[in-house]
Amino acid sequence: MALSFYYSMPSFKCFIVSYILVLIFSFSNVEARQKELSTDFYYYSCPQVLDIVRDGVVEAIKNETRNGASLLRLHFHDCFVNGCDGSVLLDDNTTFTGEKTAFPNNNSLRAFDVVDVIKARLEKVCPLVVSCADLLAIAARDSVFHLGGPTWEVKLGRRDSLTANITAANIFIPSPSSNITVLKSNFASVGLSFKDLVSLSGAHTIGYARCTTFRPRIYNDGNISPSFKDSLRSKCPQVGSDDVLQGLDLKTPSHFDNLYYKNLLTKKGLLHSDQEIYNSNKADPIVRKFSRDLSKFYRDFAKGMIKMGDISPLLDNQGEIRQNCRVAR
Ligand code: HEM
Ligand SMILES: *[C@@H]1O[C@H](CO)[C@@H](O)[C@H](O)[C@H]1NC(C)=O
Ligand SMILES: *[C@@H]1O[C@H](CO)[C@@H](O)[C@H](O)[C@H]1NC(C)=O
Ligand SMILES: *[C@@H]1O[C@H](CO)[C@@H](O)[C@H](O)[C@H]1NC(C)=O
Ligand SMILES: *[C@@H]1O[C@H](CO)[C@@H](O)[C@H](O)[C@H]1NC(C)=O
Ligand SMILES: *[C@@H]1O[C@H](CO)[C@@H](O)[C@H](O)[C@H]1NC(C)=O
């Protein structure tokens, strides 16, 4: 062995030279422009990122189960407004109005404190490396998984916005009073299909809604189960109790299952927009399929989440990496 090592000394030198060439080549590759998101984006710069976010999400769900749903919704409300760029996380101040007080967000979005805790842990280990937009994408994935749902490989490399747009938040985040035509066009305007609308609405298998968001459904809609309507009316009167909470999935709001779709079949969708998914004949077969086939729903939900996470990311030298998710440079 030793002999053959000495004999191959020239080729060993040659090996070193080519090794250095490879190093230079891959270094120049690192310098190349980032063209898209990738699952291994933080492989060298912050190998601990996935563990840190997962541990934070598990802890947040232990603190309060609903945090999982709230984190998932943050990613959705981030992505639908100028792409997944952390814009939803920016705080208002005297000279700046962010998206937090937009109609769909005001007194509604939550778990911002959880984002702060996780971001502070990331800053300790890999300062100014992991974007808030990526933090939300990972936290959404981990929340779904730790509430019993599917998982997927999350693409990373998004950068954070320098600004936010409350007007765009009011326009692009879908409303619970919308009909199927409007919902479909909301999704189409960010490049998501009809099927994505049906599968991603399955997120409403977890979490809660306030009385004020489903009141029109229980007083004005015809297309609702009578017994369901009566029980909701007693919790959510025509006047007052605006903030009373009801599980979006009436039976298991802490478990990521397919009961959401079974509820739709019996006209027990909580929001008007939920039941709309099972009004249009075109969506009916997809809803029925998801209600019967849990793994089909899981696969399509994961696909939809990856597509949603791909909406208009800031890449390369666009935007910034925020130190504090609430403040832009
Ligand atoms: C299809 C159009 C959608 C509409 C109209 C809609 C509307 C709503 C409304 C009104 C609430 C209750 C908010 C409140 O009472 O404060 C809610 C909650 C929620 N939404 Fe949606 N949503 C839609 C799609 C989605 C999507 C695509 C996701 C994620 C992929 C999502 C995830 C959630 C979650 C997890 C909650 C519960 C949050 C919590 O408990 O903190 N929604 N949604
Ligand atoms: C947001 O909610 C607060 C507290 O309920 C309210 O005072 C404020 O007017 C709302 N802002 C907007 C823009 O609707
Ligand atoms: C969980 O709750 C504890 C006690 O309030 C808090 O210190 C911690 O930051 C919370 N964890 C997360 C991830 O939000
Ligand atoms: C905010 O969004 C609205 C609606 O998309 C758009 O018309 C407006 O130009 C945007 N404002 C800025 C400052 O980009
Ligand atoms: C859906 O809602 C939009 C906006 O409110 C309305 O213009 C349209 O006529 C509605 N479509 C149907 C099929 O009801
Ligand atoms: C207000 O918020 C914006 C956006 O985060 C930030 O760029 C700006 O520095 C803040 N201004 C003050 C006075 O804190």
Side-chain angles (χ1 to χ4, degrees), residues 279-308:
N279 269 344
S280 78
N281 290 329
K282 207 182 150 208
D284 291 1
I286 312 178
V287 170
R288 279 199 216 96
K289 181 78 182 161
F290 289 161
S291 74
R292 280 194 308 257
D293 188 342
L294 181 65
S295 50
K296 172 73 176 151
F297 164 50
Y298 279 0
R299 280 196 303 278
D300 286 349
F301 183 80
K303 275 190 214 160
M305 287 296 290
I306 292 168
K307 267 178 89 173
M308 186 173 89

CSV table of all heavy atoms in Angstrom, one decimal, residues 279-308:
chain,number,residue,atom,x,y,z
A,279,ASN,N,-69.7,23.9,-4.2
A,279,ASN,CA,-71.0,24.3,-4.9
A,279,ASN,C,-70.9,24.2,-6.4
A,279,ASN,O,-71.9,23.8,-7.0
A,279,ASN,CB,-71.3,25.8,-4.6
A,279,ASN,CG,-72.1,26.0,-3.4
A,279,ASN,OD1,-72.7,25.0,-2.9
A,279,ASN,ND2,-72.1,27.1,-2.8
A,280,SER,N,-69.7,24.4,-6.8
A,280,SER,CA,-69.5,24.4,-8.3
A,280,SER,C,-69.3,23.0,-8.7
A,280,SER,O,-68.6,22.3,-8.1
A,280,SER,CB,-68.3,25.2,-8.6
A,280,SER,OG,-67.1,24.5,-8.4
A,281,ASN,N,-70.0,22.6,-9.7
A,281,ASN,CA,-70.0,21.2,-10.1
A,281,ASN,C,-68.6,20.8,-10.5
A,281,ASN,O,-68.2,19.6,-10.3
A,281,ASN,CB,-70.9,21.0,-11.4
A,281,ASN,CG,-72.3,21.1,-11.0
A,281,ASN,OD1,-72.7,20.7,-9.8
A,281,ASN,ND2,-73.2,21.6,-11.8
A,282,LYS,N,-67.8,21.7,-10.9
A,282,LYS,CA,-66.4,21.4,-11.4
A,282,LYS,C,-65.6,20.9,-10.2
A,282,LYS,O,-64.7,20.0,-10.4
A,282,LYS,CB,-65.8,22.6,-12.1
A,282,LYS,CG,-64.8,22.1,-13.1
A,282,LYS,CD,-64.1,23.3,-13.8
A,282,LYS,CE,-62.7,22.9,-14.2
A,282,LYS,NZ,-61.8,24.0,-14.2
A,283,ALA,N,-65.7,21.5,-9.0
A,283,ALA,CA,-64.9,21.2,-7.9
A,283,ALA,C,-65.4,19.9,-7.2
A,283,ALA,O,-64.7,19.3,-6.4
A,283,ALA,CB,-64.8,22.3,-6.9
A,284,ASP,N,-66.7,19.6,-7.4
A,284,ASP,CA,-67.3,18.5,-6.6
A,284,ASP,C,-66.5,17.2,-6.6
A,284,ASP,O,-66.3,16.6,-5.6
A,284,ASP,CB,-68.7,18.2,-7.1
A,284,ASP,CG,-69.6,19.4,-6.7
A,284,ASP,OD1,-69.1,20.4,-6.1
A,284,ASP,OD2,-70.8,19.4,-7.0
A,285,PRO,N,-66.0,16.7,-7.8
A,285,PRO,CA,-65.3,15.5,-7.8
A,285,PRO,C,-64.0,15.5,-7.0
A,285,PRO,O,-63.6,14.6,-6.4
A,285,PRO,CB,-65.0,15.2,-9.3
A,285,PRO,CG,-65.9,16.2,-10.1
A,285,PRO,CD,-66.2,17.3,-9.2
A,286,ILE,N,-63.3,16.7,-7.0
A,286,ILE,CA,-62.1,16.8,-6.2
A,286,ILE,C,-62.4,16.8,-4.7
A,286,ILE,O,-61.7,16.1,-4.0
A,286,ILE,CB,-61.3,18.1,-6.6
A,286,ILE,CG1,-61.2,18.4,-8.1
A,286,ILE,CG2,-59.9,18.1,-5.9
A,286,ILE,CD1,-60.5,19.7,-8.5
A,287,VAL,N,-63.4,17.5,-4.3
A,287,VAL,CA,-63.8,17.4,-2.9
A,287,VAL,C,-64.2,16.0,-2.5
A,287,VAL,O,-63.7,15.5,-1.4
A,287,VAL,CB,-65.0,18.4,-2.6
A,287,VAL,CG1,-65.5,18.2,-1.2
A,287,VAL,CG2,-64.5,19.8,-2.8
A,288,ARG,N,-64.9,15.3,-3.3
A,288,ARG,CA,-65.3,14.0,-2.9
A,288,ARG,C,-64.1,13.1,-2.9
A,288,ARG,O,-64.0,12.3,-2.0
A,288,ARG,CB,-66.3,13.4,-4.0
A,288,ARG,CG,-67.7,13.9,-3.7
A,288,ARG,CD,-68.7,13.0,-4.4
A,288,ARG,NE,-69.8,13.8,-4.9
A,288,ARG,CZ,-69.9,14.3,-6.1
A,288,ARG,NH1,-69.0,14.0,-7.1
A,288,ARG,NH2,-70.9,15.1,-6.4
A,289,LYS,N,-63.2,13.2,-3.8
A,289,LYS,CA,-62.0,12.4,-3.8
A,289,LYS,C,-61.2,12.7,-2.5
A,289,LYS,O,-60.8,11.7,-1.8
A,289,LYS,CB,-61.1,12.8,-5.0
A,289,LYS,CG,-59.8,12.1,-5.2
A,289,LYS,CD,-60.1,10.7,-5.8
A,289,LYS,CE,-58.8,9.9,-5.9
A,289,LYS,NZ,-59.0,8.5,-6.0
A,290,PHE,N,-61.0,13.9,-2.2
A,290,PHE,CA,-60.2,14.2,-1.0
A,290,PHE,C,-60.9,13.7,0.3
A,290,PHE,O,-60.2,13.3,1.3
A,290,PHE,CB,-59.9,15.8,-0.8
A,290,PHE,CG,-59.0,16.3,-1.9
A,290,PHE,CD1,-58.9,17.7,-2.1
A,290,PHE,CD2,-58.0,15.5,-2.5
A,290,PHE,CE1,-58.0,18.2,-3.0
A,290,PHE,CE2,-57.1,16.0,-3.4
A,290,PHE,CZ,-57.1,17.4,-3.7
A,291,SER,N,-62.2,13.7,0.3
A,291,SER,CA,-62.9,13.3,1.5
A,291,SER,C,-62.8,11.8,1.7
A,291,SER,O,-62.9,11.3,2.8
A,291,SER,CB,-64.4,13.7,1.4
A,291,SER,OG,-65.1,12.8,0.4
A,292,ARG,N,-62.6,11.1,0.6
A,292,ARG,CA,-62.4,9.6,0.7
A,292,ARG,C,-61.0,9.2,0.8
A,292,ARG,O,-60.7,8.1,1.4
A,292,ARG,CB,-63.0,9.0,-0.6
A,292,ARG,CG,-64.5,8.8,-0.6
A,292,ARG,CD,-65.0,7.9,-1.7
A,292,ARG,NE,-64.4,8.3,-3.0
A,292,ARG,CZ,-65.1,8.9,-3.9
A,292,ARG,NH1,-66.3,9.1,-3.8
A,292,ARG,NH2,-64.5,9.2,-5.1
A,293,ASP,N,-60.1,9.9,0.2
A,293,ASP,CA,-58.7,9.5,0.0
A,293,ASP,C,-57.7,10.4,0.7
A,293,ASP,O,-57.3,11.4,0.1
A,293,ASP,CB,-58.4,9.4,-1.5
A,293,ASP,CG,-57.1,8.7,-1.8
A,293,ASP,OD1,-56.3,8.6,-0.9
A,293,ASP,OD2,-56.9,8.3,-3.0
A,294,LEU,N,-57.4,10.1,2.0
A,294,LEU,CA,-56.6,11.0,2.8
A,294,LEU,C,-55.2,11.2,2.1
A,294,LEU,O,-54.7,12.3,2.1
A,294,LEU,CB,-56.4,10.4,4.2
A,294,LEU,CG,-55.6,11.2,5.1
A,294,LEU,CD1,-56.2,12.6,5.5
A,294,LEU,CD2,-55.3,10.5,6.4
A,295,SER,N,-54.6,10.1,1.6
A,295,SER,CA,-53.3,10.3,1.1
A,295,SER,C,-53.2,11.1,-0.2
A,295,SER,O,-52.3,11.8,-0.5
A,295,SER,CB,-52.5,9.0,1.0
A,295,SER,OG,-53.3,8.0,0.3
A,296,LYS,N,-54.3,11.0,-1.0
A,296,LYS,CA,-54.4,11.8,-2.2
A,296,LYS,C,-54.5,13.3,-1.8
A,296,LYS,O,-53.8,14.2,-2.4
A,296,LYS,CB,-55.7,11.5,-3.0
A,296,LYS,CG,-56.0,12.4,-4.1
A,296,LYS,CD,-55.1,12.2,-5.3
A,296,LYS,CE,-55.5,13.0,-6.5
A,296,LYS,NZ,-54.4,13.4,-7.3
A,297,PHE,N,-55.3,13.6,-0.7
A,297,PHE,CA,-55.3,15.0,-0.2
A,297,PHE,C,-53.9,15.4,0.2
A,297,PHE,O,-53.5,16.5,-0.1
A,297,PHE,CB,-56.4,15.1,0.9
A,297,PHE,CG,-56.2,16.4,1.7
A,297,PHE,CD1,-56.1,17.6,1.1
A,297,PHE,CD2,-56.1,16.3,3.1
A,297,PHE,CE1,-56.0,18.8,1.9
A,297,PHE,CE2,-56.0,17.5,3.9
A,297,PHE,CZ,-55.9,18.7,3.3
A,298,TYR,N,-53.3,14.6,1.0
A,298,TYR,CA,-51.9,14.9,1.5
A,298,TYR,C,-51.0,15.2,0.4
A,298,TYR,O,-50.2,16.2,0.4
A,298,TYR,CB,-51.4,13.8,2.4
A,298,TYR,CG,-51.9,13.8,3.8
A,298,TYR,CD1,-52.8,14.7,4.3
A,298,TYR,CD2,-51.5,12.8,4.7
A,298,TYR,CE1,-53.3,14.7,5.6
A,298,TYR,CE2,-51.9,12.7,6.0
A,298,TYR,CZ,-52.8,13.7,6.4
A,298,TYR,OH,-53.3,13.6,7.7
A,299,ARG,N,-51.0,14.4,-0.6
A,299,ARG,CA,-50.1,14.6,-1.8
A,299,ARG,C,-50.4,15.9,-2.5
A,299,ARG,O,-49.5,16.7,-2.8
A,299,ARG,CB,-50.2,13.4,-2.8
A,299,ARG,CG,-49.4,12.2,-2.4
A,299,ARG,CD,-49.3,11.2,-3.6
A,299,ARG,NE,-50.5,10.9,-4.2
A,299,ARG,CZ,-51.3,9.9,-3.8
A,299,ARG,NH1,-51.0,9.2,-2.7
A,299,ARG,NH2,-52.4,9.6,-4.4
A,300,ASP,N,-51.7,16.2,-2.7
A,300,ASP,CA,-52.0,17.4,-3.5
A,300,ASP,C,-51.8,18.6,-2.6
A,300,ASP,O,-51.5,19.7,-3.1
A,300,ASP,CB,-53.4,17.3,-4.0
A,300,ASP,CG,-53.5,16.3,-5.2
A,300,ASP,OD1,-52.4,15.9,-5.7
A,300,ASP,OD2,-54.6,16.0,-5.6
A,301,PHE,N,-52.0,18.5,-1.3
A,301,PHE,CA,-51.8,19.7,-0.4
A,301,PHE,C,-50.3,20.0,-0.4
A,301,PHE,O,-50.0,21.2,-0.6
A,301,PHE,CB,-52.3,19.4,1.0
A,301,PHE,CG,-52.1,20.6,1.9
A,301,PHE,CD1,-53.1,21.6,1.9
A,301,PHE,CD2,-51.0,20.7,2.8
A,301,PHE,CE1,-52.9,22.7,2.7
A,301,PHE,CE2,-50.9,21.8,3.6
A,301,PHE,CZ,-51.8,22.8,3.6
A,302,ALA,N,-49.5,19.0,-0.3
A,302,ALA,CA,-48.0,19.3,-0.3
A,302,ALA,C,-47.6,19.9,-1.7
A,302,ALA,O,-46.8,20.9,-1.7
A,302,ALA,CB,-47.3,17.9,-0.1
A,303,LYS,N,-48.1,19.4,-2.8
A,303,LYS,CA,-47.8,20.0,-4.1
A,303,LYS,C,-48.3,21.5,-4.1
A,303,LYS,O,-47.5,22.4,-4.6
A,303,LYS,CB,-48.6,19.3,-5.2
A,303,LYS,CG,-47.9,18.1,-5.7
A,303,LYS,CD,-48.6,17.6,-7.0
A,303,LYS,CE,-48.5,16.1,-7.1
A,303,LYS,NZ,-49.5,15.5,-8.0
A,304,GLY,N,-49.5,21.7,-3.6
A,304,GLY,CA,-50.0,23.1,-3.6
A,304,GLY,C,-49.1,24.0,-2.7
A,304,GLY,O,-48.9,25.2,-3.1
A,305,MET,N,-48.7,23.5,-1.6
A,305,MET,CA,-47.9,24.3,-0.7
A,305,MET,C,-46.5,24.7,-1.4
A,305,MET,O,-46.0,25.8,-1.2
A,305,MET,CB,-47.6,23.6,0.6
A,305,MET,CG,-48.8,23.6,1.5
A,305,MET,SD,-49.3,25.2,2.1
A,305,MET,CE,-48.0,25.6,3.2
A,306,ILE,N,-46.0,23.7,-2.1
A,306,ILE,CA,-44.7,24.0,-2.8
A,306,ILE,C,-44.9,25.1,-3.9
A,306,ILE,O,-44.1,26.0,-4.0
A,306,ILE,CB,-44.1,22.7,-3.4
A,306,ILE,CG1,-43.6,21.8,-2.2
A,306,ILE,CG2,-42.9,23.0,-4.3
A,306,ILE,CD1,-43.3,20.4,-2.6
A,307,LYS,N,-46.0,25.0,-4.6
A,307,LYS,CA,-46.4,26.0,-5.6
A,307,LYS,C,-46.6,27.3,-5.0
A,307,LYS,O,-46.1,28.4,-5.5
A,307,LYS,CB,-47.6,25.6,-6.4
A,307,LYS,CG,-47.4,24.8,-7.7
A,307,LYS,CD,-48.7,24.4,-8.3
A,307,LYS,CE,-49.2,25.4,-9.3
A,307,LYS,NZ,-50.3,24.9,-10.1
A,308,MET,N,-47.3,27.4,-3.9
A,308,MET,CA,-47.6,28.6,-3.2
A,308,MET,C,-46.3,29.2,-2.7
A,308,MET,O,-46.1,30.5,-2.8
A,308,MET,CB,-48.5,28.4,-2.0
A,308,MET,CG,-49.0,29.7,-1.4
A,308,MET,SD,-50.3,29.4,-0.1
A,308,MET,CE,-49.3,29.1,1.3
